[in-house]
Amino acid sequence: MRLVVEDLVFAHPGAPPLLDRLSLTAVMGESVAIIGPSGSGKTTLLALVGGLLRSGGGRITLVDGERELPVRGNVSWVLQTVNVLSDRSVVDNIAVGAYADGLDREAALERARAALDAVGLAGQGHRDIRTLSGGEAQRAVIARATVSDRPVLLADEPTGQLDRDTSAAVIDTLLGAASAKITLVVTHDPAVAARCSRTLTLGGGTLTAVRP
Ligand SMILES: Nc1ncnc2c1ncn2[C@@H]1O[C@H](COP(=O)(O)OP(=O)(O)O)[C@@H](O)[C@H]1O
Ligand SMILES: [Mg+2]
């Protein structure tokens, strides 16, 4: 399976052109770090790939053998602003990632509990998610994305709110799941980029490879 972005063009309404015939191909098992200055369009690019915004031109497809699938519906998200179901427990929030794959409650909770351990939230699953710190909630969101079987994982500055040690554990979890996914990670963190298969810089509306 591969994610193919071809000649993507985009401008926010009333704003100057942001993406100018941007292209990107990422294959199953690959993790691609996307870096670039603030305002260069990294978050916008993820939103377009995930189908949250409509492009002004170009194509975004998930190619699976002979089939072409829409990316939307095959994506799990780790967003910059933590988005959780605020009236549910931590473990319920993580299980949502597995429900999306059609698992029943018990199987989903089992996966969720294993993912809790992996992000250092073992024993915290029963807590009301609203009582977690920003960094803890971000780890719960990462656990939710990794329990999903959806093939594309889009992460926007996933370690932005975490200290260095927690960040290292979270990178392990996130990229540990990457071998069975196509992962795009927007990051300012060189440690995250170093763990990805390759790094691209967004600037001037297009992506350029960064030599290691
Ligand atoms: N909904 C929006 N409407 C208008 N302009 C936007 C909107 N969202 C983002 N922008 C602008 O588009 C540019 C790229 O934003 P963004 O994709 O968030 O950049 P990055 O994630 O690289 O910091 C910025 O100049 C930002 O102000
Ligand atoms: Mg951003």
Side-chain angles (χ1 to χ4, degrees), residues 28 34 36 50 64-65 76 79 85 102 110 119 126 138 191 197 200:
M28 180 53 76
I34 297 172
D64 185 18
S76 49
L79 292 173
L85 303 174
E110 196 171 311
V119 294
H126 63 282
Q138 184 68 341
S197 319
L200 303 174

Side-chain angles (χ1 to χ4, degrees), residues 129-169:
I129 193 123
R130 284 170 296 195
T131 68
L132 299 186
S133 71
E136 288 169 336
Q138 184 68 341
R139 285 187 270 154
V141 169
I142 287 164
R144 180 181 64 195
T146 60
V147 299
S148 166
D149 281 334
R150 293 180 173 207
V152 179
L153 196 160
L154 302 177
D156 197 355
E157 301 191 22
T159 60
Q161 304 184 51
L162 307 177
D163 60 56
R164 218 178 68 200
D165 287 349
T166 311
S167 177

Side-chain angles (χ1 to χ4, degrees), residues 12-13 15 18 36-45 80 156-157 186 202:
H12 285 291
L18 186 62
S38 181
S40 57
K42 304 179 298 295
T43 295
T44 301
L45 173 61
Q80 219 167 355
D156 197 355
E157 301 191 22
V186 167
L202 181 55

Side-chain angles (χ1 to χ4, degrees), residues 13-201:
L18 186 62
L19 303 182
D20 177 23
R21 305 192 59 186
L22 176 148
S23 296
L24 162 71
T25 298
V27 300
M28 180 53 76
E30 213 179 12
S31 50
V32 180
I34 297 172
I35 61 174
S38 181
S40 57
K42 304 179 298 295
T43 295
T44 301
L45 173 61
L46 289 191
L48 285 161
V49 170
L52 302 182
L53 286 173
R54 209 178 184 22
S55 81
R59 272 161 54 84
I60 302 169
T61 43
L62 201 53
V63 181
D64 185 18
E66 302 287 283
R67 290 190 307 161
E68 285 194 0
L69 311 171
V71 183
R72 196 188 173 116
N74 286 302
V75 165
S76 49
W77 287 95
V78 176
L79 292 173
Q80 219 167 355
T81 46
V82 171
N83 61 324
V84 295
L85 303 174
S86 61
D87 56 344
R88 306 295 285 272
S89 70
V90 174
V91 75
D92 278 345
N93 265 279
I94 296 172
V96 166
Y99 290 142
D101 299 333
L103 262 68
D104 66 28
R105 183 169 167 79
E106 264 322 299
L109 286 175
E110 196 171 311
R111 269 204 217 171
R113 284 187 203 105
L116 269 177
D117 292 353
V119 294
L121 291 174
Q124 309 294 313
H126 63 282
R127 283 173 64 184
D128 183 327
I129 193 123
R130 284 170 296 195
T131 68
L132 299 186
S133 71
E136 288 169 336
Q138 184 68 341
R139 285 187 270 154
V141 169
I142 287 164
R144 180 181 64 195
T146 60
V147 299
S148 166
D149 281 334
R150 293 180 173 207
V152 179
L153 196 160
L154 302 177
D156 197 355
E157 301 191 22
T159 60
Q161 304 184 51
L162 307 177
D163 60 56
R164 218 178 68 200
D165 287 349
T166 311
S167 177
V170 161
I171 299 165
D172 282 343
T173 307
L174 190 70
L175 296 177
S179 59
K181 291 180 186 293
I182 298 165
T183 304
L184 303 187
V185 188
V186 167
T187 187
H188 287 299
D189 184 347
V192 175
R195 293 282 306 274
C196 291
S197 319
R198 59 196 166 102
T199 301
L200 303 174
T201 305

